[in-house]
Amino acid sequence: MFRPLAFFAPLVGLALRAGAGEASPAQVEFFESKIRPVLAEQCYSCHSAQAKKLKAGLLLDDPAALLKGGDSGAAVVPGDPEKSLLNQAIGYHDSSLAMPPKAKMGDRVIADFEQWVKMGVPWPKEEAPVEAPKKEWNWPALQQSHWAFQPMQQPAPPAVKDEAWPRSELDRFVLVKLDAAGLTPAPAADRRTLLRRASYDLIGLPPTPEEAEAFVNDPDPNAFATVVERLLASPQYGERWARHWLDVARYSDGLGGFLDGAALKRDAWRYRDWVVDALNRDLPFDQFVKAQLAGDLLDGGADAVATGFLALGPTYQSDGGTIEGKAVAESETLDDRVDTVARGLLGLTAACARCHDHKFDPIPQQDYYSLAGVFRNTRNDDKPLPGTPKEVIDQYNASVKAIADLQKKVSAAKKPDKTPPTDEEKALLEAQKAELETLKKNAPEQYPTTHVVAEAGSSDMAVALRGNLLKPGEMAPRRFLHIVAGATPALFTRGSGRVELAEAIVQPENPLTARVMVNRVWMRHFGQALVRTPDNFGKVGEKPTHPELLDWLARRFIASGWSLKQLHRTIMLSSAYQMSSRLDQRSFAQDGDNRLLWRMEPRRLDVEAWRDGLLAATQDLDRTMGGPPTQSLLESPRRTLYSIVSRNGDKFQSDDFLRLFDFPSARATSAERHTSIVPQQFLFMMNSPFMAKRAESLAKRLQADAPDAAGRIARAYRLLFDREPTADEARLGSGFLQSASLAEYAQVLLSSNEFLFLR
């Protein structure tokens, strides 16, 4: 549940006081997943109202007491970790304050607390407990207590005043809310704008001028539907939408750093390519999910590579090998799996129930360990790529065994404690060494492998008291969440339970999964989701702006056979999607956040679409699909999807570039991209060799395409902006070229806001 610091940067300096005001959903999520569990496990035994003996007069289980502090003064200074005694203590900056006293906490935990203080020490207001007593949860009542837990409705498209505007039933749900507010939808976008929007949305690349001219001049009233079909059939569709899913899957090529399996995952790309192929095939989403949770157990393991969804997550290592360290490492690893599945597929912050019953949603701690138990019975493995011939595998394994056996013999003969060898033994040793070299030289290459998960048991797990695996409580049978499955969820009895978990997640009457995915797809097309907290459908998340529309789309999604491509058609062929982004002052004054969808919101391209668009416009893009990642992204012409990514985002040149333009951290599942606008981005556009090369390429293309300055200016605007230059733009461009090179002019246009944004 980590969020890049860039997201929180606007919050730093607001000096939010602990327990005061309203914490945002993202802040609540951060506190509940990163801060409260550590306080409960490491601090409350000495610094809480339940402590047998309160030490140093310091309470850490109450926000007001936290600000007041103890015998040494205020524990925190909101916004300033360097002046906060709490940060000094856990960072061991002062030996007299060092806490916890037995051992320093990990660097990641210390960084989380530093980030929390920089955020202003938000502490969410707690509601009354949702159960009393604990074992008397009224599940039917709780399911009715919040919109997301209620069954999906089957709403009929409503009647509207203007029957001319709706192109589809979807539009009626939008228009009825606009009518009620006295607002009118924006006019339709012009065809050039619409084509650019659709092209970036579906394939992450700009249209060519030729494609734009063909669409603009097509008299067919269904011309846009033809465009949508062409884009959905493009192999680049899978590449574009795979990147969206890889955010959810917290995909990386490994290299997590301290306590997080530092090795490079050399075959991680196989999972990435599986996602691309699955989306291009329009694999039904329910099958898409089941393959990623249990592909090794279904259809003879044909989709085992899909379980990279689990296997490529962080696998924490013990610091020093102590029992306590091993328990913490296992707990962190299990938490990643629970969090990724719960937030990524269900829109629930179930990981907040790791140390205690969820503070806001009806998710008991036992439910958390019911899910964690599934993953405790699952292990990471490297397996032959499905389809690898058995004889190839056997030949390689036999070669490895022969080399290992002979190496043992050679090593044994060379031991210093043996009696001096005879001439015959010397000759035998030399022969064995020669044979060993021959075996190594002639050894076959290892067969292709993939990072997958495998079964490792079928036992239930005990609840970890305060999140400490060394303090087991009652058993938590492996089963699905009560809030979805009801009072008596079926027990998982087939091995680890992954197959049954996957089936429960995609069960059509599960009220969460289809809603969550439909909401994600809507967000990628409109810039904002119908539920604006796309990975938190719980009580501290936002309510849907159009609840009936959300359910109508979800029901339609399931009825279509969980087809994502059909969902795209439904959304994109609507009048709502095809609106312009024209600003209407009256509508803006009434609904500045555009929650009623009175226009298409202008939005900035993400880093992948922006970089790939630059390469496409300058004819530098290498469209080769799949394969191992490139480690030199700024020198490579391949799509950004194929860049190597480290989990910590600090190992490669590409990490620096991607992070600069708001690429999400791969440490945890990520629901959406948060946009920052900082000077460093524009300095990159002005000064980087990457941009200079793009400008040189564009200048060469313009010189080849047009004979004079006027023609080159017009051609540049068609290539980059899908339109003709205005008279003022043509005049300014002509004047600029009188004192600057064509490459300099090209770099200015490539760095412009218009190229960076969709309208």
Side-chain angles (χ1 to χ4, degrees):
M1 299 181 186
F2 175 84
R3 291 290 186 272
L5 186 56
F7 168 49
F8 290 114
L11 302 175
V12 176
L14 293 180
L16 290 173
R17 291 188 177 274
E22 290 292 330
S24 71
Q27 291 173 323
V28 171
E29 188 180 302
F30 187 86
F31 176 79
E32 293 294 342
S33 64
K34 301 296 182 184
I35 304 303
R36 197 194 295 269
V38 177
L39 292 174
E41 182 177 343
Q42 300 281 0
C43 309
Y44 285 176
S45 60
C46 299
H47 299 287
S48 71
Q50 289 75 39
K52 293 181 180 179
K53 182 180 179 181
L54 183 65
K55 295 188 177 180
L58 177 62
L59 287 169
L60 295 177
D61 59 346
D62 177 79
L66 176 70
L67 288 176
K68 180 180 179 182
D71 298 344
S72 299
V76 294
V77 178
D80 194 342
E82 292 185 4
K83 295 181 180 178
S84 297
L85 291 178
L86 178 64
N87 297 94
Q88 295 176 29
I90 66 173
Y92 275 44
H93 300 311
D94 183 339
S95 59
S96 65
L97 292 174
M99 291 290 163
K102 290 184 178 180
K104 182 181 177 182
M105 292 189 285
D107 291 348
R108 189 171 63 86
V109 174
I110 294 171
D112 287 341
F113 271 82
E114 181 176 332
Q115 184 169 334
W116 179 52
V117 173
K118 285 182 177 180
M119 291 161 57
V121 201
W123 191 303
K125 181 180 178 181
E126 297 182 23
E127 299 178 356
V130 293
E131 83 290 356
K134 181 173 182 177
K135 293 188 178 180
E136 293 183 7
W137 299 78
N138 186 339
W139 293 110
L142 290 168
Q143 288 173 329
Q144 291 300 318
S145 69
H146 182 63
W147 71 268
F149 307 141
Q150 297 170 8
M152 288 180 288
Q153 303 301 306
Q154 297 190 4
V160 294
K161 298 176 183 177
D162 179 9
E163 290 287 347
W165 187 74
R167 280 189 173 91
S168 72
E169 293 178 328
L170 180 158
D171 293 318
R172 294 177 174 273
F173 293 97
V174 175
L175 189 56
V176 74
K177 281 188 169 286
L178 290 173
D179 285 345
L183 301 179
T184 56
D190 65 81
R191 281 197 169 188
R192 292 182 186 277
T193 297
L194 185 59
L195 179 64
R196 187 169 189 266
R197 180 190 301 167
S199 188
Y200 269 113
D201 274 5
L202 286 182
I203 65 172
L205 296 170
T208 65
E210 294 71 27
E211 289 169 342
E213 290 304 314
F215 179 49
V216 167
N217 296 312
D218 190 338
D220 185 352
N222 295 316
F224 185 60
T226 302
V227 166
V228 170
E229 290 305 314
R230 172 177 62 81
L231 294 172
L232 288 174
S234 167
Q236 280 72 52
Y237 162 78
E239 293 179 315
R240 175 58 172 163
W241 281 81
R243 184 57 258 178
H244 295 325
W245 183 256
L246 295 179
D247 283 6
V248 177
R250 78 289 184 238
Y251 171 81
S252 77
D253 295 279
L255 296 171
F258 183 69
L259 300 184
D260 175 16
L264 177 70
K265 297 283 190 181
R266 62 184 181 88
D267 291 315
W269 60 271
R270 298 191 190 279
Y271 168 71
R272 174 247 290 157
D273 286 359
W274 180 88
V275 174
V276 172
D277 177 68
L279 293 174
N280 275 332
R281 289 187 284 121
D282 199 21
L283 181 68
F285 184 70
D286 59 340
Q287 297 180 35
F288 183 74
V289 170
K290 289 197 285 187
Q292 291 177 86
L293 294 179
D296 57 313
L297 304 174
L298 301 169
D299 300 323
D303 279 325
V305 64
T307 63
F309 177 76
L310 298 173
L312 295 176
T315 300
Y316 293 94
Q317 312 295 321
S318 169
D319 181 18
T322 64
I323 294 176
E324 292 80 5
K326 290 179 180 178
V328 170
E330 182 183 9
S331 182
E332 290 291 329
T333 301
L334 291 175
D335 192 67
D336 165 80
R337 307 307 190 257
V338 172
D339 179 48
T340 301
V341 169
R343 283 201 295 133
L345 300 176
L346 300 170
L348 292 178
T349 57
C352 294
R354 173 179 169 183
C355 301
H356 47 72
D357 293 343
H358 201 293
K359 294 290 183 181
F360 308 101
D361 295 329
I363 303 175
Q365 190 183 14
Q366 189 179 75
D367 274 11
Y368 174 92
Y369 286 97
S370 291
L371 298 183
V374 173
F375 303 116
R376 201 181 206 188
N377 286 288
T378 305
R379 61 181 173 83
N380 289 359
D381 200 0
D382 288 347
K383 288 286 189 181
L385 193 67
T388 305
K390 183 176 182 299
E391 57 271 21
V392 172
I393 298 172
D394 291 344
Q395 183 183 14
Y396 176 80
N397 290 342
S399 173
V400 170
K401 185 177 185 304
I403 291 172
D405 290 345
L406 191 54
Q407 183 67 64
K408 287 180 182 178
K409 293 179 181 179
V410 171
S411 298
K414 294 167 63 176
K415 284 185 178 179
D417 58 343
K418 288 179 63 69
T419 57
T422 63
D423 291 343
E424 183 178 349
E425 288 173 334
K426 288 180 180 179
L428 176 61
L429 177 60
E430 291 303 315
Q432 289 175 332
K433 290 165 67 175
E435 182 183 359
L436 183 61
E437 290 303 313
T438 301
L439 286 175
K440 290 180 178 179
K441 182 179 179 180
N442 297 327
E445 290 188 10
Q446 184 178 6
Y447 48 80
T449 61
T450 185
H451 307 299
V452 299
V453 297
E455 296 289 82
S458 58
S459 58
D460 292 331
M461 183 177 181
V463 169
L465 301 179
R466 288 185 174 174
N468 187 344
L469 294 180
L470 299 180
K471 295 180 179 179
E474 62 183 340
M475 295 303 294
R478 287 165 297 131
R479 56 191 177 190
F480 201 41
L481 300 172
H482 284 82
I483 193 57
V484 178
T488 56
L491 300 180
F492 296 164
T493 60
R494 295 160 58 186
S496 66
R498 282 185 289 122
V499 172
E500 293 146 302
L501 173 60
E503 290 172 345
I505 288 173
V506 298
Q507 205 275 336
E509 293 309 312
N510 177 343
L512 294 168
T513 306
R515 281 171 171 158
V516 168
M517 192 56 192
V518 162
N519 192 59
R520 290 186 189 279
V521 174
W522 183 277
M523 177 180 67
R524 298 300 181 183
H525 282 306
F526 283 85
Q528 290 283 6
L530 294 171
V531 180
R532 295 196 172 190
T533 50
D535 60 354
N536 187 354
F537 277 34
K539 291 187 177 180
V540 298
E542 292 202 28
K543 294 180 179 179
T545 57
H546 296 70
E548 294 83 6
L549 174 57
L550 180 65
D551 278 9
W552 183 82
L553 286 168
R555 288 288 189 188
R556 193 179 179 97
F557 181 42
I558 295 171
S560 74
W562 299 83
S563 168
L564 284 170
K565 289 191 176 183
Q566 185 56 41
L567 179 59
H568 291 303
R569 295 184 186 100
T570 299
I571 292 173
M572 297 178 70
L573 298 182
S574 67
S575 291
Y577 178 80
Q578 296 178 44
M579 282 190 292
S580 74
S581 59
R582 191 184 74 176
L583 179 65
D584 177 78
Q585 291 294 347
R586 178 174 168 273
S587 298
F588 184 79
Q590 185 171 334
D591 180 26
D593 206 19
N594 197 24
R595 289 178 176 270
L596 296 177
L597 299 173
W598 49 271
R599 69 165 179 163
M600 175 60 76
E601 196 74 15
R603 50 200 159 98
R604 180 171 166 168
L605 294 174
D606 58 35
V607 62
E608 296 94 333
W610 176 67
R611 178 184 170 277
D612 295 350
L614 289 171
L615 290 167
T618 60
Q619 288 189 314
D620 291 328
L621 183 64
D622 177 358
R623 297 182 185 234
T624 303
M625 294 181 66
T630 176
Q631 296 196 29
S632 53
L633 180 63
L634 293 180
E635 285 76 45
S636 171
R638 298 199 68 195
R639 292 198 73 168
T640 314
L641 173 72
Y642 299 115
S643 172
I644 196 165
V645 176
S646 73
R647 185 167 306 286
N648 272 14
D650 60 359
K651 301 293 183 183
F652 304 106
Q653 170 209 59
S654 56
D655 288 331
D656 295 335
F657 166 72
L658 293 171
R659 191 171 62 248
L660 176 61
F661 288 94
D662 306 311
F663 190 81
S665 167
R667 296 208 62 84
T669 179
S670 180
E672 55 188 325
R673 298 288 179 93
H674 298 286
T675 302
S676 67
I677 299 177
V678 295
Q680 292 89 332
Q681 295 168 348
F682 298 96
L683 290 171
F684 176 90
M685 296 178 194
M686 292 169 57
N687 301 315
S688 74
F690 172 81
M691 291 298 293
K693 289 179 182 178
R694 301 290 76 73
E696 290 169 4
S697 293
L698 180 57
K700 290 178 181 177
R701 182 175 188 181
L702 297 176
Q703 286 174 328
D705 288 353
D708 55 23
R712 290 165 186 166
I713 291 169
R715 179 63 170 165
Y717 272 76
R718 294 188 202 108
L719 284 170
L720 301 183
F721 311 130
D722 301 296
R723 65 177 179 84
E724 298 295 322
T726 65
D728 282 345
E729 288 167 338
R731 177 180 54 79
L732 289 170
S734 179
F736 187 92
L737 288 174
Q738 291 178 12
S739 58
S741 69
L742 184 58
E744 290 173 309
Y745 177 66
Q747 189 165 351
V748 170
L749 295 183
L750 289 170
S751 303
S752 67
N753 264 1
E754 185 171 354
F755 188 79
L756 191 57
F757 279 81
L758 283 182
R759 294 184 290 123

